[in-house]
Amino acid sequence: MDITQLREKIDNIDDQLVSLFTQRMEITRDIAAYKKENDLPIYVPARERQKLQEVAKLAGPDMDDYTRVLYSMIFELSRSYQSKQNSTATELYRKITDSIENTPKLFPQAPMVACQGVEGAYSQIACEKIFKNPMIMYFKNFDAIFGAIEQGLCQYGILPIENSTAGSVKKVYDLMIHHNFSIVRTFRLKIDHNLLAKPGAKLSDIQEIYSHEQAINQCSDFLKNMPGVKIIPVENTAVAAQMVAQSQNNHAAAISSKNCEEIYGLCSLADSIQDKGNNRTRFICISKNLEIYPGADKTSIMMVLPHKPGTLYKVLARLYVLGINVIKLESRPIPDRDFEFMFYFDLETSIYSQEFVQLMCELDDLCEEFKYLGSYSEVV
């Protein structure tokens, strides 16, 4: 047979498959109604394991693995369909709905905001892009930012979450496990690192360079060309500039922002020394209370999944079924738990979509622990 004849045979089989799949899902709907009436769980793992063994055996040794994958997806579609039929507004969804209704329609203009570092820090620059006239309170480390929000010292906090060159800021992700907060907005800041030193210093004079570890990683190519120079990580790029300004010699330099050059009376020995020209850091703006402003089209969640094969696949399959795009996935080990991880998801979906509603009503069934971090829009 030629390719046309073979494709005709495939088309005929597909017609039968679609018809049978539709019949199967109709029966699934009836099963959902029975489970709801009799207060039975939608997910019955023992039943699914049994069915997977049966269909794999029917398929034979050459096709058993493919059949398992196919039916795993069919089971995921079936559970999602049953959940949709039986969905009721969860406490979380009601909380989200209340927040949408009660959050002011205009984003705050001049709140008190917590930033890490000192004057000239990149978090300050991001803060001034997010808010029109913020009042800024500086803190030494990321943990203190979370604390300032929880204690009510500041209404909002600004934290770097990832960089296009150096990757995720893992310290912030680790702190997320231990703190209660909501993300209300994000911002991607173009980062230009400069090598700053005291006036009169020359590049050949530099013996030590201070900066934050993320900035150091982002300028690795430049630093490779400075052998013998000591690289010293500090808590913030602006703090590094401040330290250089206060030093008593011309041997120190800082990798920092152009703002710090003016603020601390320094001069630039080299401009834009980052490895990549399109170097951007994504900052999150957090609050103590859940606030959802108009236009929110991104959602962040985190969850603990059972330490079993296929658990992450089931979550991703459910998101795929709902047509929700995953734009960020990060995993971090949970302290004091052996080989258990917290998974962080950034999802692209409007809070007004039916898919978002359905996801919020289904998430508890997908994981051991779940935390909704907020829905927001991103400032560009």
Side-chain angles (χ1 to χ4, degrees), residues 225-237:
N225 295 319
M226 298 192 68
V229 175
K230 187 176 182 180
I231 310 300
I232 305 172
V234 294
E235 61 266 27
N236 186 271
T237 55

Side-chain angles (χ1 to χ4, degrees), residues 13 40 62 131 165 186 196 199 213 240 242 316 340 352:
I13 294 172
L40 297 174
D62 289 341
F131 299 99
T165 302
T186 60
L196 307 182
E213 59 184 354
Q242 188 182 64
L316 295 174
E340 288 194 55
Y352 308 109

Side-chain angles (χ1 to χ4, degrees), residues 109-113 124 127-136:
Q109 301 295 296
M112 180 66 74
V113 185
Q124 174 204 333
C127 177
E128 291 174 341
K129 295 289 186 180
I130 295 173
F131 299 99
K132 188 175 181 180
N133 297 301
M135 295 175 284
I136 300 176

Side-chain angles (χ1 to χ4, degrees), residues 181-247:
F181 65 96
S182 292
I183 301 174
V184 300
R185 191 142 291 186
T186 60
F187 177 74
R188 293 181 185 270
L189 177 68
K190 175 71 164 60
I191 302 293
D192 280 309
H193 293 306
N194 306 277
L195 188 67
L196 307 182
K198 298 185 75 170
K202 299 178 182 178
L203 190 61
S204 57
D205 297 330
I206 303 305
Q207 299 177 5
E208 52 195 32
I209 296 175
Y210 298 87
S211 196
H212 187 270
E213 59 184 354
Q214 279 273 329
I216 292 170
N217 291 336
Q218 293 162 27
C219 302
S220 59
D221 290 344
F222 176 85
L223 295 175
K224 287 177 184 176
N225 295 319
M226 298 192 68
V229 175
K230 187 176 182 180
I231 310 300
I232 305 172
V234 294
E235 61 266 27
N236 186 271
T237 55
V239 169
Q242 188 182 64
M243 292 172 63
V244 170
Q246 295 171 352
S247 66

Side-chain angles (χ1 to χ4, degrees), residues 185-367:
R185 191 142 291 186
T186 60
F187 177 74
R188 293 181 185 270
L189 177 68
K190 175 71 164 60
I191 302 293
D192 280 309
H193 293 306
N194 306 277
L195 188 67
L196 307 182
K198 298 185 75 170
K202 299 178 182 178
L203 190 61
S204 57
D205 297 330
I206 303 305
Q207 299 177 5
E208 52 195 32
I209 296 175
Y210 298 87
S211 196
H212 187 270
E213 59 184 354
Q214 279 273 329
I216 292 170
N217 291 336
Q218 293 162 27
C219 302
S220 59
D221 290 344
F222 176 85
L223 295 175
K224 287 177 184 176
N225 295 319
M226 298 192 68
V229 175
K230 187 176 182 180
I231 310 300
I232 305 172
V234 294
E235 61 266 27
N236 186 271
T237 55
V239 169
Q242 188 182 64
M243 292 172 63
V244 170
Q246 295 171 352
S247 66
Q248 301 300 314
N249 55 60
N250 290 340
H251 301 315
I255 297 174
S256 192
S257 68
K258 203 72 174 175
N259 287 26
C260 288
E261 180 180 358
E262 181 178 350
I263 292 170
Y264 297 106
L266 301 175
C267 64
S268 178
L269 301 181
D271 295 336
S272 299
I273 64 172
Q274 63 272 7
D275 296 345
K276 296 182 179 179
N278 188 29
N279 183 34
R280 296 182 182 274
T281 294
R282 181 172 176 242
F283 289 84
I284 57 174
C285 177
I286 64 171
S287 69
K288 181 178 181 179
N289 300 317
L290 179 61
E291 300 176 9
I292 303 177
Y293 291 90
D297 59 358
K298 293 179 176 60
T299 291
S300 292
I301 60 176
M302 60 186 192
M303 59 178 67
V304 177
L305 302 177
H307 188 53
K308 298 176 182 177
T311 53
L312 180 58
Y313 164 79
K314 291 180 185 296
V315 174
L316 295 174
R318 183 66 61 91
L319 294 170
Y320 174 74
V321 166
L322 293 174
I324 295 175
N325 187 32
V326 179
I327 54 178
K328 169 80 173 178
L329 174 57
E330 181 79 23
S331 65
R332 296 298 298 155
I334 301 175
D336 303 322
R337 296 197 198 179
D338 291 336
F339 301 106
E340 288 194 55
F341 293 82
M342 181 72 78
F343 290 88
Y344 299 83
F345 295 81
D346 285 343
L347 310 174
E348 192 172 44
T349 175
S350 170
I351 56 170
Y352 308 109
S353 69
Q354 180 58 42
E355 293 78 15
F356 176 80
V357 175
Q358 189 172 344
L359 179 65
M360 292 301 106
C361 294
E362 294 180 11
L363 278 172
D364 283 341
D365 297 330
L366 298 177
C367 56

